[in-house]
Amino acid sequence: MDSVELQARLEALTHEHRDLDVAIDALRARVGHDQIQLARLKKRKLRLRDDIAHCQDMLIPDIIA
């Protein structure tokens, strides 16, 4: 992937991560919310965070000291 594709992927992942924040908050606000669904959303959010970190690492070159 080139830097343009990585930047686009990073933006998409970040947007999805924010959307999951909203979905998790909405699910928590409901009375008697589904714990399994909440756990799945949180797990997906963690995977996205790892993917975001990976994309950021690929965009920032290593500096050899």
Side-chain angles (χ1 to χ4, degrees):
M1 272 193 212
D2 66 355
S3 63
V4 174
E5 290 172 333
L6 276 173
Q7 188 64 39
R9 177 154 170 72
L10 180 61
E11 288 175 16
L13 291 171
T14 304
H15 182 64
E16 186 176 352
H17 191 268
R18 275 190 244 123
D19 288 347
L20 278 174
D21 274 335
V22 173
I24 288 170
D25 289 342
L27 186 59
R28 281 185 182 154
R30 291 185 6 204
V31 175
H33 59 270
D34 185 4
Q35 290 292 328
I36 294 172
Q37 179 70 19
L38 185 61
R40 286 181 181 147
L41 290 174
K42 287 181 177 182
K43 191 173 185 177
R44 174 70 182 147
K45 188 176 169 190
L46 287 173
R47 268 188 260 130
L48 284 171
R49 186 185 69 187
D50 291 342
D51 290 345
I52 289 169
H54 179 72
C55 284
Q56 288 172 335
D57 287 345
M58 292 185 69
L59 282 171
I60 301 171
D62 290 334
I63 298 173
I64 300 173

